[in-house]
Amino acid sequence: MNAARELQSVPAEEQQPSKSRFAFLEGWLYLLPSIVLFGVFVFYPMFRTIYLSFFLADQIGPFEFAGLENYHYILSSDSFQSSIKATVLFVLFTVPATIILALFLALLTSEKIMGIGIFRTFFSSTMGMSVAASSVIWMFMYNPSIGVFSKVAEWLGLPVIQWLQNPDYALLAVSLSTIWMSTGFAYLIILGGLQNIDPHLYENARVAGVSYFYQLRRITLPMLSPTLFFIVTVSFINAFQTFGQIDILTKGGPVESTNVIVYSIYKDAFINNDVGSASAQAVILFFCVLALTVLQFKLGERKVHYQ
Amino acid sequence: MKKLLIGLSVLFVLFLTACSGTESASGTTEDGKTEIIFWHAMGGELEASVNEIVDNYNKSQDKYTVKPVYQGSYEESLTKLKTVAGTEDAPAVTQIFEAGTKQMIDSGNVQPVQKFIDEENYDTSQWEENISSYYQVDGEQYSMPFNSSTPVLVYNKDAFEKAGLDPENAPRTYSELKDAAEKLTIKEGDQTSQYGLSILNYGWFFEELLATQGGMYVDNENGRSGEATKAAFNDEKGQKVFELISDMHEAGTFYNVGQTWDDMRAAFQSETITMMLDSSAGVKGLVDNADFEVGVAYLPHPDGVDPQGVVIGGASLWMAKDISEKQEQASWDFMKYLSTPEVQAKWHVESGYFAINPAAYKEDLVKQEWEEYPQLKVTVDQLHDTVSSPATQGALISIFPEARQQIVTGMESLYQGTDPKEALDKAAAEVDTVLEKGSRSR
């Protein structure tokens, strides 16, 4: 009996390690491309940023250890506080509006009617435009002396507003153009989610004879919740990382009213040559976005209904 | 499948290494010519003009080849240069804007052209002194001036006539400026359809308005007698500039055009504004595109001040250190070619920048151009009338970009009703902090 077990177990023990070792290596091999990509383009820059945030550094590299001085300097500066304010306001202006607008458009066009493809193409078309190109178009529209908005305002007898030169309106103006730019993507994702909902559910609803809003509340939104959750998370992160339209439309001005954190990081790193301070801001931004995403997963995901 | 995967991974790694593989930026071409790379920041029509000049140079001799590469705006190309400076990829010759001068000197990666001037006794007196002195530090010529411009007052002559002002006599002092702007402003009810003056929210204009009063931007003679430690622009002279803007904005005769040059020019072309400060390099385009007569005048100054002239703006050409001797010779030869009267005449006419070699103004090409655009001559005269002093040589600081942002924020806060002195003091305090921080850099 004993001998028999040994006889059985010996080959098994000899085989397993080599097999599992091979499987282990094979697993790593499959992971290699993404590990290399992430390592080179995500993890290395991330750790380097954290490292640099503790130094006085310029574009060539660090030159003096500074401890927490960069953080201290940032947190006590008025300019960073106005950056945080601008960023939070920007997120609040853009994310809910984008998603509600996209949801509305997607609900309108989720029916299968003749010619619906044209509308779907229209509504998702802003996704195909680069931020730079759209920003330039908006810049011309906002121009107070030759832009469309001021011409219309003049024609209607309303006061002409200097959208991008007035600190009271600049952030609003940039947000408006951002909503326009990001609606296309959100629309496309939500529309895809709507198409994925089991049609039987709607058939049942029709048989039961419930109202459209009841159906929307009890079937569409719950079934759409994973998609909505995804788009909310992505939109939040995108809004926190907005750069292109700020750079082109306002350059962070007037009076720093649109100087969102990412733009402030860019300015410090590439214009003011203060990489240490830029890195510290990047680290702060990273932890803010991380905390927010964790919070979203903790609170939001409970309400998400996975099929 | 596995083989395919392994193959793919190998390809991927190869791809990554290929990305990091570098090509020597400057070297020798197949036909034995020495090749140098020339980075510049001249976009649009100016790029075409630069390329043509370089082409002509390459054809004019058979020892050297220059390869021009456009690197985006001044700020962008300076950033790019800083990341490659001192490596093999660094270009032999780079165009750097005036505000980057101190950063370039401090970087230690530049070869002052003074060495070649001394070696062959090159006569720099043929250069415009008011331009070349900007790039002279401690008696040493660091870079070769290339494209230079100054600010001027540009105005709509037709609107002057309509308002009963003399179109040939532009305002010189602040009080004349305020008077003229008052007359030029047209209000209908509470709507203003035409404003008197605009100044772009750009730090350079403040620097100029300060310098023309003989005011200093930073201490230690604008950082030229020693390292600058404190902002000096928040004195009486700086306040006069901010007060002018604040007063006129309050009176409703000043129009805030934001920070974009094109927006300002669009407002001028569409006759929303009738006077503005612009760079002399923009004058030709304005004259070409306007439906009205464009006048050009000297930069205005406060009453009772003897105007000192202007600080030179624009850019110069820098030679990299640690390049081969052949490449150094090539770079120097190219620079010398650029400063010949013929090339400078062509450059002045096509770009509107000054000729750094005044002999160019005697070329027929320029004479013809000046007959067609008499406005261009005004810009050159203003430069010649400048008194060379630390004030008009301009500040020598490495933190110019940040200082300019602070001035811009200060200007913008004026439109919100901030007290001029308060706005200026705040900007000065910020600049002091940055100067202190900057002094700790290498």
Side-chain angles (χ1 to χ4, degrees), chain B residues 57-94:
Chain B
Y57 171 73
N58 288 338
K59 282 181 203 139
S60 75
Q61 41 73 44
D62 54 7
K63 275 159 82 184
Y64 313 118
T65 315
V66 177
K67 221 172 118 190
V69 185
Y70 173 60
Q71 290 289 357
S73 72
Y74 286 139
E75 283 86 357
E76 283 164 357
S77 71
L78 178 59
T79 303
K80 288 182 194 169
L81 182 72
K82 273 190 287 194
T83 47
V84 298
T87 70
E88 261 188 14
D89 296 318
V93 180
T94 315

XYZ file of all heavy atoms in Angstrom, chain B residues 57-94:
296
model
N 21.631 79.562 -49.031
C 22.935 79.390 -48.406
C 23.577 78.083 -48.862
O 24.753 78.050 -49.225
C 22.823 79.412 -46.883
C 24.109 79.017 -46.190
C 25.196 79.893 -46.183
C 24.253 77.774 -45.585
C 26.389 79.533 -45.576
C 25.437 77.405 -44.979
C 26.510 78.291 -44.980
O 27.690 77.931 -44.389
N 22.783 77.008 -48.832
C 23.327 75.705 -49.217
C 23.853 75.719 -50.643
O 24.824 75.041 -50.973
C 22.269 74.612 -49.057
C 22.005 74.311 -47.596
O 22.857 74.588 -46.743
N 20.844 73.765 -47.303
N 23.191 76.515 -51.497
C 23.632 76.585 -52.894
C 24.831 77.510 -53.053
O 25.593 77.395 -54.000
C 22.477 77.074 -53.779
C 21.460 75.975 -54.067
C 20.356 76.508 -54.965
C 19.095 75.664 -54.795
N 17.897 76.492 -54.778
N 24.982 78.458 -52.122
C 26.009 79.490 -52.292
C 27.421 78.956 -52.055
O 28.387 79.584 -52.442
C 25.737 80.663 -51.346
O 26.100 80.289 -50.025
N 27.549 77.820 -51.377
C 28.888 77.279 -51.145
C 28.801 75.742 -51.157
O 27.716 75.184 -51.161
C 29.466 77.811 -49.823
C 28.488 77.878 -48.669
C 28.146 76.550 -48.092
O 29.016 75.726 -47.894
N 26.873 76.298 -47.851
N 29.956 75.057 -51.176
C 29.879 73.596 -51.305
C 30.534 72.867 -50.141
O 30.879 71.699 -50.247
C 30.492 73.146 -52.644
C 31.901 73.685 -52.814
O 32.421 74.275 -51.843
O 32.466 73.533 -53.910
N 30.738 73.566 -49.005
C 31.366 72.889 -47.881
C 30.361 72.415 -46.828
O 30.547 71.406 -46.167
C 32.389 73.828 -47.190
C 33.755 73.795 -47.870
C 34.543 75.034 -47.551
C 35.253 74.971 -46.204
N 35.928 76.275 -45.931
N 29.325 73.196 -46.655
C 28.394 72.913 -45.564
C 26.955 72.779 -46.061
O 26.573 73.396 -47.053
C 28.433 74.039 -44.525
C 29.818 74.465 -44.126
C 30.264 75.750 -44.361
C 30.670 73.562 -43.497
C 31.540 76.145 -43.985
C 31.945 73.947 -43.117
C 32.382 75.235 -43.369
O 33.635 75.620 -42.996
N 26.178 71.969 -45.331
C 24.747 71.874 -45.586
C 24.010 72.194 -44.292
O 24.330 71.633 -43.247
C 24.340 70.441 -46.003
O 25.290 69.983 -46.946
C 22.955 70.411 -46.591
N 23.046 73.075 -44.368
C 22.233 73.391 -43.193
C 20.848 72.801 -43.407
O 20.277 72.903 -44.490
C 22.124 74.917 -42.989
C 21.233 75.229 -41.811
C 23.493 75.522 -42.799
N 20.377 72.134 -42.351
C 19.034 71.531 -42.436
C 18.125 72.236 -41.431
O 18.299 72.101 -40.225
C 19.147 70.045 -42.082
C 18.303 69.149 -42.955
C 18.603 67.698 -42.677
C 17.391 66.988 -42.154
N 17.693 65.654 -41.653
N 17.165 73.030 -41.923
C 16.282 73.739 -40.991
C 15.159 72.831 -40.495
O 14.605 72.057 -41.263
C 15.706 74.869 -41.846
C 15.764 74.361 -43.245
C 16.864 73.334 -43.327
N 14.859 72.911 -39.203
C 13.749 72.135 -38.643
C 12.878 73.069 -37.808
O 13.380 73.741 -36.910
C 14.255 70.986 -37.737
C 13.082 70.129 -37.281
C 15.290 70.147 -38.437
N 11.599 73.096 -38.133
C 10.665 73.922 -37.370
C 10.278 73.211 -36.082
O 9.931 72.043 -36.099
C 9.426 74.201 -38.232
C 8.304 74.900 -37.502
C 8.499 76.152 -36.941
C 7.047 74.317 -37.383
C 7.480 76.800 -36.275
C 6.014 74.966 -36.719
C 6.234 76.206 -36.167
O 5.227 76.847 -35.508
N 10.378 73.901 -34.946
C 10.155 73.247 -33.653
C 9.005 73.834 -32.856
O 8.954 73.694 -31.639
C 11.431 73.321 -32.799
C 12.559 72.466 -33.306
C 12.301 70.983 -33.127
O 11.291 70.584 -32.560
N 13.192 70.151 -33.627
N 8.076 74.520 -33.516
C 6.954 75.089 -32.777
C 7.290 76.453 -32.206
O 8.265 77.074 -32.612
N 6.493 76.908 -31.265
C 6.652 78.261 -30.740
C 7.995 78.409 -30.020
O 8.680 77.431 -29.754
C 5.526 78.575 -29.766
O 5.724 77.848 -28.572
N 8.345 79.654 -29.686
C 9.588 79.917 -28.956
C 9.666 79.086 -27.677
O 10.683 78.487 -27.364
C 9.667 81.392 -28.571
C 9.965 82.342 -29.701
C 9.296 83.551 -29.790
C 10.941 82.055 -30.644
C 9.583 84.446 -30.814
C 11.220 82.948 -31.661
C 10.537 84.146 -31.740
O 10.819 85.024 -32.739
N 8.550 79.087 -26.944
C 8.544 78.378 -25.664
C 8.750 76.880 -25.888
O 9.520 76.235 -25.182
C 7.214 78.597 -24.931
C 7.078 79.948 -24.255
C 6.548 81.012 -25.204
O 6.346 80.698 -26.393
O 6.344 82.161 -24.771
N 8.059 76.353 -26.898
C 8.170 74.921 -27.171
C 9.575 74.533 -27.595
O 10.125 73.536 -27.147
C 7.163 74.509 -28.259
C 5.750 74.400 -27.754
C 4.731 74.373 -28.878
O 5.129 74.491 -30.057
O 3.540 74.255 -28.572
N 10.153 75.331 -28.482
C 11.472 74.916 -28.978
C 12.525 75.047 -27.875
O 13.452 74.254 -27.813
C 11.858 75.669 -30.252
O 12.148 76.995 -29.979
N 12.338 76.021 -26.984
C 13.280 76.138 -25.864
C 13.161 74.911 -24.951
O 14.164 74.347 -24.500
C 13.011 77.423 -25.075
C 13.890 77.676 -23.844
C 15.359 77.734 -24.226
C 13.512 78.964 -23.134
N 11.918 74.497 -24.692
C 11.692 73.306 -23.871
C 12.345 72.086 -24.495
O 13.023 71.309 -23.824
C 10.190 73.062 -23.716
O 9.608 74.225 -23.155
C 9.918 71.880 -22.819
N 12.148 71.934 -25.805
C 12.729 70.775 -26.487
C 14.251 70.821 -26.429
O 14.907 69.814 -26.204
C 12.269 70.733 -27.949
C 10.826 70.352 -28.109
C 10.462 70.283 -29.580
C 8.963 70.233 -29.746
N 8.550 70.426 -31.131
N 14.785 72.012 -26.636
C 16.240 72.120 -26.624
C 16.795 71.733 -25.263
O 17.819 71.068 -25.160
C 16.670 73.550 -26.976
C 18.192 73.716 -27.017
C 18.762 73.013 -28.238
C 18.609 75.163 -27.013
N 16.081 72.157 -24.201
C 16.591 71.877 -22.865
C 16.667 70.380 -22.595
O 17.530 69.926 -21.843
C 15.703 72.565 -21.816
C 16.164 73.985 -21.559
C 15.468 74.596 -20.381
C 14.053 74.939 -20.708
N 13.402 75.814 -19.744
N 15.773 69.615 -23.221
C 15.814 68.178 -22.967
C 16.916 67.474 -23.746
O 17.378 66.427 -23.329
C 14.456 67.507 -23.287
O 14.027 67.979 -24.552
C 13.425 67.813 -22.235
N 17.334 68.056 -24.880
C 18.387 67.373 -25.645
C 19.753 68.049 -25.522
O 20.746 67.502 -25.986
C 18.047 67.248 -27.150
C 16.813 66.435 -27.348
C 17.932 68.607 -27.792
N 19.788 69.234 -24.903
C 21.043 69.988 -24.833
C 22.141 69.133 -24.227
O 21.932 68.413 -23.260
C 20.853 71.253 -24.002
N 23.325 69.210 -24.807
C 24.456 68.470 -24.277
C 24.517 67.045 -24.778
O 25.475 66.333 -24.497
N 23.510 66.586 -25.503
C 23.568 65.234 -26.050
C 23.886 65.308 -27.545
O 23.968 66.392 -28.124
C 22.225 64.492 -25.886
O 21.273 65.090 -26.778
C 21.719 64.585 -24.465
N 24.005 64.143 -28.151
C 24.319 64.088 -29.582
C 23.179 64.638 -30.433
O 23.386 65.046 -31.563
C 24.537 62.631 -29.981
C 25.984 62.249 -30.049
C 26.140 60.865 -30.633
O 25.165 60.343 -31.216
O 27.221 60.296 -30.490
N 21.965 64.586 -29.889
C 20.810 64.988 -30.680
C 20.621 66.496 -30.730
O 19.747 66.975 -31.434
C 19.540 64.363 -30.093
C 19.578 62.852 -30.194
O 20.013 62.369 -31.249
O 19.196 62.177 -29.229
N 21.393 67.210 -29.959
C 21.212 68.662 -29.917
C 21.579 69.264 -31.264
O 22.553 68.854 -31.894
C 22.074 69.258 -28.813
N 20.793 70.236 -31.713
C 21.112 70.904 -32.981
C 22.324 71.806 -32.806
O 22.606 72.261 -31.692
C 19.851 71.726 -33.259
C 19.278 71.989 -31.912
C 19.607 70.797 -31.073
N 23.026 72.068 -33.900
C 24.212 72.928 -33.811
C 23.805 74.386 -33.625
O 24.419 75.122 -32.882
C 25.059 72.764 -35.072
N 22.728 74.784 -34.299
C 22.278 76.171 -34.205
C 20.799 76.180 -33.835
O 20.011 75.437 -34.412
C 22.456 76.919 -35.552
C 21.991 78.350 -35.430
C 23.900 76.859 -35.992
N 20.439 77.003 -32.846
C 19.052 77.089 -32.435
C 18.630 78.536 -32.297
O 19.410 79.367 -31.833
C 18.821 76.407 -31.071
O 19.480 75.162 -31.067
C 17.350 76.201 -30.800
